[in-house]
């Protein structure tokens, strides 16, 4: 397993290009099962989860290719089983349910199981698909589903689940009649999927709001599409600039989609300016702690709480982060404390008291965003930090060590 060794203390300077969004590319890749013909996607990040998804699409009967940032997918036949050995490595595999039911009227998908940040059930996906006529059986760790042609339905989600909205949009685009999704997730990645499906001839409206309407159509046609930039990767680099007291310009940074994070960073005392498609972060003096509650979009994103916590741990005064989306998303706290942070957990709230400095030490990555938080802390810690199990990082950050190295960070990847 690889590890990262980072010598902290260098203010990062220069320009970093944001890659395509992992959380937009994954559902769009599953949606490539739906149209006839070869789909061409650009701005696709080269990440483990993307490669895993392409392997799964091939098992489901597609021909795929991935060169540079361009992916092509063409459905040649339809197989309807997603095996456990692939699904267990990537929860997003459950997103093949909607397309397979829409296309073939059947699907057999291994239950994703939990992951480091929580149980992450799919009960809301199943209940909504049942409203459209799918019949489910849960057998030995697999979800089996069957249906005749799915029928449009009026569905209200108990919770604005991102994956649930994505699965249901993909199920509804070929269904009979209209489907209405109420209390739907408003995340930009859900809207990017809708834009892709509409580019293939679907009739979706309301995406980006909490009421999404989908008119079923007989078929979809392949197209070319550019995946949106990754707002979470971008936010991570904005914080890298802030935590090292540097001056990083983030190119292709999706500013409107980062409103909640940018507001909190400005409240901490950071100067964040937009100049010709670049966002520049500067620090003028002390930063102060803030209080954050993670919410569904457009609230503060759960995928940024670990990264902001690293910044808060070296800011003046105290702050708090309440994690309301996942039940176990504080695995980074004990590791940050090993670096000298002063963070106390009270249920689903972390109380962060800023310290004068962090000190490098060996730490362990546990999940994707916790790993990013440890990298950010290491960039400012005195001395060397060794981060083990960075395969977690490779799931969501394209070429992170070369991007940080180009900004001046003293960082190297070592194979254990
Ligand atoms: C997506 O996960 C993202 N993943 C996550 O990003 C992100 O944290 C999450 O949305 C919230 O924004 C991808 O897009 C691939 P949810 P998803 O369904 O779809 C509960 C990252 O770091 N829930 O909105 O799985 C669930 O347990 C990853 O890039 C149910 O109870 O998120 C969780 O507590 C991590 N039943 C909450 O809702 C269901 O049927 C949010 O889940 C579905 C969800």
């Amino acid at each position: 397993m690889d590890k990262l060794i980072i010598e902290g203390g260098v203010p990062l300077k220069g320009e970093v290009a944001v890659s395509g969004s992992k959380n937009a590319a994954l559902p769009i890749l599953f949606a490539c099962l739906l149209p006839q013909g070869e789909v061409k996607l650009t701005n696709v990040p080269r990440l483990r989860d993307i490669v895993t998804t392409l392997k799964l699409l091939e098992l489901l009967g597609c021909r795929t290719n991935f060169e540079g940032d361009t992916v092509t997918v063409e459905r040649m036949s339809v197989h309807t089983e997603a095996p456990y050995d692939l699904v267990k490595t990537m929860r997003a595999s459950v997103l093949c349910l909607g397309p397979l039911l829409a296309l073939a009227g059947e699907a057999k998908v291994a239950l994703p199981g939990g992951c480091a940040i929580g149980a992450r059930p799919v009960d809301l996906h199943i209940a909504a698909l049942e409203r459209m006529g799918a019949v489910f059986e849960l057998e030995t760790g697999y979800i089996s589903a069957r249906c005749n042609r799915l029928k449009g339905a009026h569905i209200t989600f108990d919770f604005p689940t991102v994956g649930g909205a994505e699965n249901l949009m993909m199920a509804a685009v070929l269904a009979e009649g209209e489907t209405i999704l109420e209390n739907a997730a408003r995340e930009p990645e859900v809207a990017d999927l809708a834009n892709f499906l509409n580019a293939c001839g679907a009739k979706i409206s309301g995406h980006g709001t909490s009421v999404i309407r989908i008119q079923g159509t007989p078929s979809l046609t392949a197209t070319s599409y550019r995946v949106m930039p990754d707002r979470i990767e971008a936010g991570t680099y904005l914080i890298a600039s802030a935590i090292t007291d540097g001056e990083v310009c983030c190119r292709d940074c999706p500013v409107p989609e980062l409103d909640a994070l940018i507001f909190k960073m400005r409240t901490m005392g950071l100067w964040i300016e937009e100049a010709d498609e670049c966002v520049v972060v500067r620090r003028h003096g002390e930063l102060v702690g803030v209080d954050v509650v993670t919410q569904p979009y457009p609230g503060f994103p759960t995928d940024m709480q670990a990264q902001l916590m690293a910044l808060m741990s070296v800011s003046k005064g105290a702050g708090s982060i309440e994690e309301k989306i996942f039940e176990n998303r504080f695995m980074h706290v004990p590791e940050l404390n090993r670096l000298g942070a002063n963070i106390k957990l009270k249920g689903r709230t972390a109380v962060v008291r800023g310290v004068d400095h962090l000190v490098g030490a060996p730490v362990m990555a546990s999940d994707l965003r916790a790993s990013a938080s440890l990298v950010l802390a290491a960039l400012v810690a005195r001395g060397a930090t060794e981060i083990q199990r960075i395969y977690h990082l490779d799931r969501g950050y394209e070429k992170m060590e070369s991007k940080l190295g180009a900004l001046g960070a003293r960082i190297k990847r070592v194979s254990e």
Side-chain angles (χ1 to χ4, degrees):
M1 280 190 274
D2 291 357
K3 59 187 176 186
L4 283 180
I5 297 178
I6 299 173
E7 279 283 340
V10 178
L12 300 186
K13 293 193 189 308
E15 187 172 295
V16 64
V18 177
S19 301
S21 164
K22 163 179 90 78
N23 289 351
L26 291 176
I28 289 173
L29 282 170
F30 284 107
C32 290
L33 281 161
L34 292 164
Q36 299 277 4
E38 181 180 81
V39 176
K40 180 179 172 189
L41 301 176
T42 54
N43 202 33
V44 180
R46 190 163 287 275
L47 301 168
R48 277 182 55 213
D49 280 6
I50 299 291
V51 174
T52 303
T53 302
L54 291 173
K55 278 187 197 140
L56 181 50
L57 287 175
E58 284 167 7
L59 281 177
L60 298 176
C62 295
R63 184 170 56 194
T64 76
N65 189 40
F66 192 6
E67 269 173 45
D69 75 348
T70 301
V71 163
T72 57
V73 181
E74 182 168 8
R75 169 169 51 86
M76 310 308 285
S77 60
V78 184
H79 303 288
T80 58
E81 179 167 343
Y84 178 62
D85 63 334
L86 267 183
V87 172
K88 72 184 176 199
T89 66
M90 189 186 66
R91 167 187 164 71
S93 310
V94 74
L95 292 174
C96 69
L97 260 183
L100 290 177
L101 285 172
L103 266 180
E106 63 174 27
K108 187 174 179 187
V109 183
L111 268 169
C115 64
I117 61 178
R120 302 184 74 188
V122 289
D123 54 317
L124 303 180
H125 300 228
I126 290 173
L129 290 166
E130 284 174 335
R131 296 270 294 105
M132 297 185 71
V135 177
F136 283 81
E137 277 176 44
L138 295 189
E139 324 153 345
T140 54
Y142 273 83
I143 305 170
S144 286
R146 287 189 178 289
C147 65
N148 298 321
R149 187 181 180 195
L150 290 170
K151 283 189 176 37
H154 191 150
I155 294 158
T156 300
F157 284 109
D158 291 352
F159 175 86
T161 155
V162 171
E166 291 163 349
N167 241 336
L168 268 291
M169 279 199 300
M170 292 189 281
V173 287
L174 298 179
E176 189 183 324
E178 181 183 47
T179 298
I180 300 173
L181 304 179
E182 302 241 18
N183 194 25
R186 298 170 52 189
E187 271 70 2
E189 295 76 20
V190 174
D192 210 32
L193 171 63
N195 292 333
F196 167 71
L197 288 166
N198 281 344
C200 294
K203 294 186 176 61
I204 302 174
S205 59
H207 41 293
T209 76
S210 55
V211 182
I212 301 176
R213 292 172 184 274
I214 306 108
Q215 290 293 346
T217 52
S219 67
L220 298 179
T221 308
T223 183
S224 296
Y225 189 78
R226 179 178 175 78
V227 173
M228 69 174 279
D230 193 314
R231 62 189 169 106
I232 305 302
E233 185 200 25
T236 305
Y237 284 104
L238 295 185
I239 293 182
S241 181
I243 203 169
T244 59
D245 196 1
E247 190 168 320
V248 172
C249 168
C250 224
R251 180 161 295 287
D252 208 9
C253 179
V255 173
E257 290 81 0
L258 279 172
D259 224 20
L261 171 71
I262 289 174
F263 174 73
K264 287 296 176 185
M265 290 178 74
R266 284 188 168 131
T267 308
M268 292 178 76
L270 287 155
W271 290 29
I272 301 180
E273 288 147 28
E274 278 185 83
D276 63 66
E277 287 179 11
C278 252
V279 173
V280 185
V281 181
R282 291 187 188 86
R283 182 168 160 174
H284 291 264
E286 284 282 357
L287 298 181
V288 294
V290 286
D291 293 330
V292 172
V293 180
T294 65
Q295 300 278 0
Y297 192 87
F300 188 90
T302 174
D303 290 350
M304 282 303 308
Q305 66 97 335
Q307 299 93 310
L308 191 74
M309 191 184 288
L311 183 60
M312 286 165 62
S313 69
V314 289
S315 300
K316 197 170 169 53
S320 67
I321 295 182
E322 186 181 359
E323 172 55 62
K324 293 189 79 169
I325 305 295
F326 290 105
E327 68 268 26
N328 181 30
R329 203 170 195 177
F330 286 136
M331 312 275 277
H332 42 288
V333 169
E335 300 303 311
L336 288 173
N337 285 340
R338 279 178 51 76
L339 298 175
N342 178 357
I343 307 166
K344 288 188 175 44
L345 287 181
K346 294 181 171 40
R348 291 177 75 161
T349 298
V351 178
V352 185
R353 287 184 175 77
V355 295
D356 176 62
H357 63 274
L358 300 175
V359 180
V363 289
M364 186 88 74
S366 53
D367 61 85
L368 170 53
R369 306 304 173 182
S371 319
S373 169
L374 297 179
V375 170
L376 293 169
L379 288 171
V380 72
R382 290 180 185 169
T385 297
E386 181 184 288
I387 305 175
Q388 295 153 17
R389 298 189 181 176
I390 56 157
Y391 57 87
H392 292 291
L393 205 63
D394 297 336
R395 300 192 55 177
Y397 289 93
E398 188 177 44
K399 302 195 288 275
M400 190 178 218
E401 66 266 25
S402 50
K403 288 190 177 184
L404 287 173
L407 295 172
R410 292 185 296 234
I411 180 170
K412 64 180 177 190
R413 179 186 284 253
V414 174
S415 292
E416 272 188 308

